Amino acid sequence: MIVRAAYLVAQYRHARPKAAKSSAIRTRAHLDAVGPALASAVPAGSAVLSIGPRNIDEVQALDAEGWIVSAVDLFPTHPRIHRGDMERLPYPDDRFGLTWVSHVFEHAYSQRRAAREIVRVTRPDGMLWIAVPRGGTPNPHDRWRFDTVADVVRPFREAGGHPVVAWSQERPSELRVLLRLDKTPRGAPRRMLVALTDPRMARDWAA
């Protein structure tokens, strides 16, 4: 209980000074970078979840893509942003075609619980955008360190999301990763699509 309270205090102290700082430029840069990979996977009208947007700017940037956006934050600053914890998301299973987690996942109290909840509310074959700072030293606010794309993917694999990296970018100070979640239970039949461009390959496959 005391540890959890200390965690919330650390998050509040960090979040409040940044509440009025616009994230629109960063969100636009992320959308521009990953846009082609999202265009067909998340069409206009899709349900999208923004986790930890801090203020309305990120929500409005996602709105502009034609998506139906819900948002949740520990310390909401706008009526459109629901109060909630990424480890206990107030949404039903398989609700969102895209879950947007920009510079938030490093703050999770329990990385495992947060990943499990994010996987739960994202639809099968849904997309998950994760951007986190690269490197750094963990502290009461930024609790987790990420050095490679594999560090970002691992918690979602362990949570049962069976993530496939659709797009990624390793920048000096930031990791950007777009995942497609394959939530098919292990052992269940899976569809396989194989491109057979070589006639010999096609004959070998048929044989």
PDB file of all heavy atoms in Angstrom, residues 119 125-126 153-165 179-188 190:
ATOM      1  N   VAL A 119      -3.371  -5.785 -24.039  1.00  0.00           N
ATOM      2  CA  VAL A 119      -3.710  -6.887 -24.935  1.00  0.00           C
ATOM      3  C   VAL A 119      -5.198  -7.217 -24.828  1.00  0.00           C
ATOM      4  O   VAL A 119      -5.880  -7.453 -25.832  1.00  0.00           O
ATOM      5  CB  VAL A 119      -2.851  -8.125 -24.614  1.00  0.00           C
ATOM      6  CG1 VAL A 119      -3.384  -9.366 -25.317  1.00  0.00           C
ATOM      7  CG2 VAL A 119      -1.397  -7.886 -25.009  1.00  0.00           C
ATOM      8  N   ASP A 125      -5.921  -9.296 -33.954  1.00  0.00           N
ATOM      9  CA  ASP A 125      -5.364  -8.679 -35.167  1.00  0.00           C
ATOM     10  C   ASP A 125      -5.393  -7.161 -35.106  1.00  0.00           C
ATOM     11  O   ASP A 125      -5.179  -6.496 -36.119  1.00  0.00           O
ATOM     12  CB  ASP A 125      -6.076  -9.162 -36.440  1.00  0.00           C
ATOM     13  CG  ASP A 125      -5.782 -10.621 -36.748  1.00  0.00           C
ATOM     14  OD1 ASP A 125      -4.673 -11.074 -36.409  1.00  0.00           O
ATOM     15  OD2 ASP A 125      -6.650 -11.310 -37.299  1.00  0.00           O
ATOM     16  N   GLY A 126      -5.665  -6.599 -33.925  1.00  0.00           N
ATOM     17  CA  GLY A 126      -5.601  -5.156 -33.748  1.00  0.00           C
ATOM     18  C   GLY A 126      -4.165  -4.667 -33.672  1.00  0.00           C
ATOM     19  O   GLY A 126      -3.220  -5.462 -33.552  1.00  0.00           O
ATOM     20  N   VAL A 153       8.744  -5.376 -27.146  1.00  0.00           N
ATOM     21  CA  VAL A 153       7.868  -6.467 -27.573  1.00  0.00           C
ATOM     22  C   VAL A 153       7.664  -7.503 -26.471  1.00  0.00           C
ATOM     23  O   VAL A 153       6.566  -8.050 -26.306  1.00  0.00           O
ATOM     24  CB  VAL A 153       8.445  -7.143 -28.834  1.00  0.00           C
ATOM     25  CG1 VAL A 153       7.605  -8.353 -29.236  1.00  0.00           C
ATOM     26  CG2 VAL A 153       8.535  -6.147 -29.979  1.00  0.00           C
ATOM     27  N   ARG A 154       8.712  -7.764 -25.688  1.00  0.00           N
ATOM     28  CA  ARG A 154       8.705  -8.883 -24.737  1.00  0.00           C
ATOM     29  C   ARG A 154       7.496  -8.901 -23.796  1.00  0.00           C
ATOM     30  O   ARG A 154       6.850  -9.957 -23.644  1.00  0.00           O
ATOM     31  CB  ARG A 154      10.002  -8.872 -23.924  1.00  0.00           C
ATOM     32  CG  ARG A 154      10.169 -10.093 -23.017  1.00  0.00           C
ATOM     33  CD  ARG A 154      11.491 -10.047 -22.282  1.00  0.00           C
ATOM     34  NE  ARG A 154      12.613  -9.950 -23.210  1.00  0.00           N
ATOM     35  CZ  ARG A 154      13.371  -8.861 -23.374  1.00  0.00           C
ATOM     36  NH1 ARG A 154      13.140  -7.765 -22.642  1.00  0.00           N
ATOM     37  NH2 ARG A 154      14.365  -8.861 -24.234  1.00  0.00           N
ATOM     38  N   PRO A 155       7.130  -7.785 -23.146  1.00  0.00           N
ATOM     39  CA  PRO A 155       5.992  -7.849 -22.215  1.00  0.00           C
ATOM     40  C   PRO A 155       4.681  -8.253 -22.882  1.00  0.00           C
ATOM     41  O   PRO A 155       3.856  -8.932 -22.266  1.00  0.00           O
ATOM     42  CB  PRO A 155       5.901  -6.418 -21.662  1.00  0.00           C
ATOM     43  CG  PRO A 155       7.249  -5.832 -21.886  1.00  0.00           C
ATOM     44  CD  PRO A 155       7.752  -6.454 -23.148  1.00  0.00           C
ATOM     45  N   PHE A 156       4.497  -7.880 -24.140  1.00  0.00           N
ATOM     46  CA  PHE A 156       3.252  -8.204 -24.834  1.00  0.00           C
ATOM     47  C   PHE A 156       3.244  -9.651 -25.311  1.00  0.00           C
ATOM     48  O   PHE A 156       2.184 -10.278 -25.399  1.00  0.00           O
ATOM     49  CB  PHE A 156       3.031  -7.219 -25.978  1.00  0.00           C
ATOM     50  CG  PHE A 156       2.911  -5.813 -25.477  1.00  0.00           C
ATOM     51  CD1 PHE A 156       4.019  -4.969 -25.462  1.00  0.00           C
ATOM     52  CD2 PHE A 156       1.721  -5.358 -24.939  1.00  0.00           C
ATOM     53  CE1 PHE A 156       3.926  -3.688 -24.945  1.00  0.00           C
ATOM     54  CE2 PHE A 156       1.623  -4.077 -24.422  1.00  0.00           C
ATOM     55  CZ  PHE A 156       2.730  -3.245 -24.417  1.00  0.00           C
ATOM     56  N   ARG A 157       4.414 -10.189 -25.582  1.00  0.00           N
ATOM     57  CA  ARG A 157       4.500 -11.618 -25.882  1.00  0.00           C
ATOM     58  C   ARG A 157       4.181 -12.426 -24.627  1.00  0.00           C
ATOM     59  O   ARG A 157       3.422 -13.397 -24.669  1.00  0.00           O
ATOM     60  CB  ARG A 157       5.901 -11.962 -26.385  1.00  0.00           C
ATOM     61  CG  ARG A 157       6.077 -13.441 -26.732  1.00  0.00           C
ATOM     62  CD  ARG A 157       7.459 -13.736 -27.279  1.00  0.00           C
ATOM     63  NE  ARG A 157       7.686 -13.045 -28.535  1.00  0.00           N
ATOM     64  CZ  ARG A 157       8.644 -12.135 -28.727  1.00  0.00           C
ATOM     65  NH1 ARG A 157       9.451 -11.792 -27.736  1.00  0.00           N
ATOM     66  NH2 ARG A 157       8.800 -11.566 -29.888  1.00  0.00           N
ATOM     67  N   GLU A 158       4.741 -11.998 -23.505  1.00  0.00           N
ATOM     68  CA  GLU A 158       4.487 -12.701 -22.245  1.00  0.00           C
ATOM     69  C   GLU A 158       3.024 -12.570 -21.809  1.00  0.00           C
ATOM     70  O   GLU A 158       2.513 -13.431 -21.096  1.00  0.00           O
ATOM     71  CB  GLU A 158       5.421 -12.166 -21.159  1.00  0.00           C
ATOM     72  CG  GLU A 158       6.885 -12.481 -21.416  1.00  0.00           C
ATOM     73  CD  GLU A 158       7.834 -11.795 -20.437  1.00  0.00           C
ATOM     74  OE1 GLU A 158       7.363 -10.938 -19.660  1.00  0.00           O
ATOM     75  OE2 GLU A 158       9.035 -12.122 -20.470  1.00  0.00           O
ATOM     76  N   ALA A 159       2.353 -11.512 -22.252  1.00  0.00           N
ATOM     77  CA  ALA A 159       0.944 -11.299 -21.902  1.00  0.00           C
ATOM     78  C   ALA A 159      -0.009 -12.079 -22.797  1.00  0.00           C
ATOM     79  O   ALA A 159      -1.226 -11.990 -22.625  1.00  0.00           O
ATOM     80  CB  ALA A 159       0.607  -9.807 -21.979  1.00  0.00           C
ATOM     81  N   GLY A 160       0.529 -12.823 -23.754  1.00  0.00           N
ATOM     82  CA  GLY A 160      -0.323 -13.630 -24.621  1.00  0.00           C
ATOM     83  C   GLY A 160      -0.800 -12.936 -25.864  1.00  0.00           C
ATOM     84  O   GLY A 160      -1.715 -13.417 -26.536  1.00  0.00           O
ATOM     85  N   GLY A 161      -0.199 -11.787 -26.192  1.00  0.00           N
ATOM     86  CA  GLY A 161      -0.629 -11.064 -27.382  1.00  0.00           C
ATOM     87  C   GLY A 161      -0.058 -11.594 -28.670  1.00  0.00           C
ATOM     88  O   GLY A 161      -0.511 -11.230 -29.750  1.00  0.00           O
ATOM     89  N   HIS A 162       0.960 -12.472 -28.599  1.00  0.00           N
ATOM     90  CA  HIS A 162       1.637 -13.006 -29.784  1.00  0.00           C
ATOM     91  C   HIS A 162       1.930 -11.889 -30.786  1.00  0.00           C
ATOM     92  O   HIS A 162       1.478 -11.941 -31.939  1.00  0.00           O
ATOM     93  CB  HIS A 162       0.807 -14.120 -30.431  1.00  0.00           C
ATOM     94  CG  HIS A 162       0.318 -15.140 -29.470  1.00  0.00           C
ATOM     95  ND1 HIS A 162       1.153 -15.785 -28.574  1.00  0.00           N
ATOM     96  CD2 HIS A 162      -0.928 -15.631 -29.238  1.00  0.00           C
ATOM     97  CE1 HIS A 162       0.447 -16.636 -27.843  1.00  0.00           C
ATOM     98  NE2 HIS A 162      -0.822 -16.557 -28.212  1.00  0.00           N
ATOM     99  N   PRO A 163       2.636 -10.843 -30.369  1.00  0.00           N
ATOM    100  CA  PRO A 163       2.803  -9.665 -31.229  1.00  0.00           C
ATOM    101  C   PRO A 163       3.711  -9.922 -32.423  1.00  0.00           C
ATOM    102  O   PRO A 163       4.699 -10.653 -32.329  1.00  0.00           O
ATOM    103  CB  PRO A 163       3.435  -8.644 -30.276  1.00  0.00           C
ATOM    104  CG  PRO A 163       4.167  -9.487 -29.268  1.00  0.00           C
ATOM    105  CD  PRO A 163       3.335 -10.715 -29.087  1.00  0.00           C
ATOM    106  N   VAL A 164       3.345  -9.299 -33.520  1.00  0.00           N
ATOM    107  CA  VAL A 164       4.170  -9.300 -34.726  1.00  0.00           C
ATOM    108  C   VAL A 164       4.567  -7.855 -34.994  1.00  0.00           C
ATOM    109  O   VAL A 164       3.708  -6.965 -35.013  1.00  0.00           O
ATOM    110  CB  VAL A 164       3.383  -9.866 -35.925  1.00  0.00           C
ATOM    111  CG1 VAL A 164       4.217  -9.772 -37.200  1.00  0.00           C
ATOM    112  CG2 VAL A 164       2.961 -11.304 -35.653  1.00  0.00           C
ATOM    113  N   VAL A 165       5.843  -7.599 -35.172  1.00  0.00           N
ATOM    114  CA  VAL A 165       6.305  -6.234 -35.424  1.00  0.00           C
ATOM    115  C   VAL A 165       5.935  -5.845 -36.847  1.00  0.00           C
ATOM    116  O   VAL A 165       6.443  -6.412 -37.820  1.00  0.00           O
ATOM    117  CB  VAL A 165       7.821  -6.105 -35.202  1.00  0.00           C
ATOM    118  CG1 VAL A 165       8.289  -4.677 -35.533  1.00  0.00           C
ATOM    119  CG2 VAL A 165       8.193  -6.445 -33.758  1.00  0.00           C
ATOM    120  N   LEU A 179       2.876  -2.830 -33.367  1.00  0.00           N
ATOM    121  CA  LEU A 179       2.669  -4.265 -33.264  1.00  0.00           C
ATOM    122  C   LEU A 179       1.284  -4.639 -33.767  1.00  0.00           C
ATOM    123  O   LEU A 179       0.323  -3.906 -33.553  1.00  0.00           O
ATOM    124  CB  LEU A 179       2.790  -4.724 -31.799  1.00  0.00           C
ATOM    125  CG  LEU A 179       4.110  -4.450 -31.086  1.00  0.00           C
ATOM    126  CD1 LEU A 179       4.010  -4.882 -29.634  1.00  0.00           C
ATOM    127  CD2 LEU A 179       5.256  -5.183 -31.777  1.00  0.00           C
ATOM    128  N   ARG A 180       1.199  -5.789 -34.397  1.00  0.00           N
ATOM    129  CA  ARG A 180      -0.090  -6.412 -34.673  1.00  0.00           C
ATOM    130  C   ARG A 180      -0.244  -7.564 -33.696  1.00  0.00           C
ATOM    131  O   ARG A 180       0.649  -8.406 -33.576  1.00  0.00           O
ATOM    132  CB  ARG A 180      -0.179  -6.919 -36.108  1.00  0.00           C
ATOM    133  CG  ARG A 180      -1.542  -7.565 -36.425  1.00  0.00           C
ATOM    134  CD  ARG A 180      -1.576  -8.138 -37.837  1.00  0.00           C
ATOM    135  NE  ARG A 180      -1.480  -7.097 -38.839  1.00  0.00           N
ATOM    136  CZ  ARG A 180      -2.509  -6.360 -39.264  1.00  0.00           C
ATOM    137  NH1 ARG A 180      -3.711  -6.549 -38.740  1.00  0.00           N
ATOM    138  NH2 ARG A 180      -2.351  -5.449 -40.191  1.00  0.00           N
ATOM    139  N   LEU A 181      -1.354  -7.591 -32.986  1.00  0.00           N
ATOM    140  CA  LEU A 181      -1.569  -8.620 -31.975  1.00  0.00           C
ATOM    141  C   LEU A 181      -2.316  -9.805 -32.573  1.00  0.00           C
ATOM    142  O   LEU A 181      -3.412  -9.662 -33.101  1.00  0.00           O
ATOM    143  CB  LEU A 181      -2.365  -8.053 -30.796  1.00  0.00           C
ATOM    144  CG  LEU A 181      -1.689  -6.902 -30.040  1.00  0.00           C
ATOM    145  CD1 LEU A 181      -2.555  -6.483 -28.859  1.00  0.00           C
ATOM    146  CD2 LEU A 181      -0.299  -7.301 -29.554  1.00  0.00           C
ATOM    147  N   ASP A 182      -1.693 -10.965 -32.505  1.00  0.00           N
ATOM    148  CA  ASP A 182      -2.324 -12.209 -32.927  1.00  0.00           C
ATOM    149  C   ASP A 182      -2.722 -12.943 -31.656  1.00  0.00           C
ATOM    150  O   ASP A 182      -1.894 -13.573 -31.001  1.00  0.00           O
ATOM    151  CB  ASP A 182      -1.350 -13.041 -33.761  1.00  0.00           C
ATOM    152  CG  ASP A 182      -1.922 -14.403 -34.125  1.00  0.00           C
ATOM    153  OD1 ASP A 182      -3.110 -14.642 -33.834  1.00  0.00           O
ATOM    154  OD2 ASP A 182      -1.177 -15.212 -34.690  1.00  0.00           O
ATOM    155  N   LYS A 183      -3.991 -12.832 -31.278  1.00  0.00           N
ATOM    156  CA  LYS A 183      -4.437 -13.378 -29.995  1.00  0.00           C
ATOM    157  C   LYS A 183      -4.989 -14.796 -30.117  1.00  0.00           C
ATOM    158  O   LYS A 183      -5.685 -15.281 -29.233  1.00  0.00           O
ATOM    159  CB  LYS A 183      -5.485 -12.442 -29.383  1.00  0.00           C
ATOM    160  CG  LYS A 183      -4.899 -11.074 -29.053  1.00  0.00           C
ATOM    161  CD  LYS A 183      -5.942 -10.007 -28.809  1.00  0.00           C
ATOM    162  CE  LYS A 183      -6.715 -10.230 -27.553  1.00  0.00           C
ATOM    163  NZ  LYS A 183      -7.601  -9.086 -27.233  1.00  0.00           N
ATOM    164  N   THR A 184      -4.664 -15.471 -31.229  1.00  0.00           N
ATOM    165  CA  THR A 184      -5.090 -16.855 -31.389  1.00  0.00           C
ATOM    166  C   THR A 184      -4.498 -17.701 -30.278  1.00  0.00           C
ATOM    167  O   THR A 184      -3.288 -17.649 -30.045  1.00  0.00           O
ATOM    168  CB  THR A 184      -4.622 -17.410 -32.746  1.00  0.00           C
ATOM    169  OG1 THR A 184      -5.063 -16.548 -33.780  1.00  0.00           O
ATOM    170  CG2 THR A 184      -5.145 -18.818 -32.959  1.00  0.00           C
ATOM    171  N   PRO A 185      -5.293 -18.477 -29.545  1.00  0.00           N
ATOM    172  CA  PRO A 185      -4.730 -19.324 -28.480  1.00  0.00           C
ATOM    173  C   PRO A 185      -3.688 -20.272 -29.032  1.00  0.00           C
ATOM    174  O   PRO A 185      -3.803 -20.766 -30.151  1.00  0.00           O
ATOM    175  CB  PRO A 185      -5.956 -20.094 -27.956  1.00  0.00           C
ATOM    176  CG  PRO A 185      -7.129 -19.272 -28.353  1.00  0.00           C
ATOM    177  CD  PRO A 185      -6.746 -18.606 -29.646  1.00  0.00           C
ATOM    178  N   ARG A 186      -2.670 -20.521 -28.256  1.00  0.00           N
ATOM    179  CA  ARG A 186      -1.625 -21.451 -28.668  1.00  0.00           C
ATOM    180  C   ARG A 186      -2.239 -22.825 -28.922  1.00  0.00           C
ATOM    181  O   ARG A 186      -3.037 -23.315 -28.144  1.00  0.00           O
ATOM    182  CB  ARG A 186      -0.540 -21.551 -27.600  1.00  0.00           C
ATOM    183  CG  ARG A 186       0.233 -20.247 -27.435  1.00  0.00           C
ATOM    184  CD  ARG A 186       1.437 -20.436 -26.532  1.00  0.00           C
ATOM    185  NE  ARG A 186       2.117 -19.177 -26.286  1.00  0.00           N
ATOM    186  CZ  ARG A 186       2.948 -18.584 -27.136  1.00  0.00           C
ATOM    187  NH1 ARG A 186       3.193 -19.147 -28.296  1.00  0.00           N
ATOM    188  NH2 ARG A 186       3.530 -17.437 -26.836  1.00  0.00           N
ATOM    189  N   GLY A 187      -1.848 -23.415 -30.036  1.00  0.00           N
ATOM    190  CA  GLY A 187      -2.367 -24.727 -30.377  1.00  0.00           C
ATOM    191  C   GLY A 187      -3.585 -24.672 -31.277  1.00  0.00           C
ATOM    192  O   GLY A 187      -3.980 -25.683 -31.854  1.00  0.00           O
ATOM    193  N   ALA A 188      -4.206 -23.499 -31.406  1.00  0.00           N
ATOM    194  CA  ALA A 188      -5.372 -23.371 -32.275  1.00  0.00           C
ATOM    195  C   ALA A 188      -4.922 -23.273 -33.723  1.00  0.00           C
ATOM    196  O   ALA A 188      -3.816 -22.809 -34.012  1.00  0.00           O
ATOM    197  CB  ALA A 188      -6.185 -22.139 -31.891  1.00  0.00           C
ATOM    198  N   ARG A 190      -4.168 -21.892 -37.289  1.00  0.00           N
ATOM    199  CA  ARG A 190      -3.878 -20.540 -37.758  1.00  0.00           C
ATOM    200  C   ARG A 190      -3.859 -20.534 -39.268  1.00  0.00           C
ATOM    201  O   ARG A 190      -3.439 -21.492 -39.905  1.00  0.00           O
ATOM    202  CB  ARG A 190      -2.521 -20.066 -37.230  1.00  0.00           C
ATOM    203  CG  ARG A 190      -2.473 -19.993 -35.724  1.00  0.00           C
ATOM    204  CD  ARG A 190      -1.206 -19.302 -35.288  1.00  0.00           C
ATOM    205  NE  ARG A 190      -1.116 -19.296 -33.834  1.00  0.00           N
ATOM    206  CZ  ARG A 190      -0.488 -18.378 -33.141  1.00  0.00           C
ATOM    207  NH1 ARG A 190       0.083 -17.383 -33.758  1.00  0.00           N
ATOM    208  NH2 ARG A 190      -0.424 -18.447 -31.831  1.00  0.00           N
TER     209      ARG A 190
END
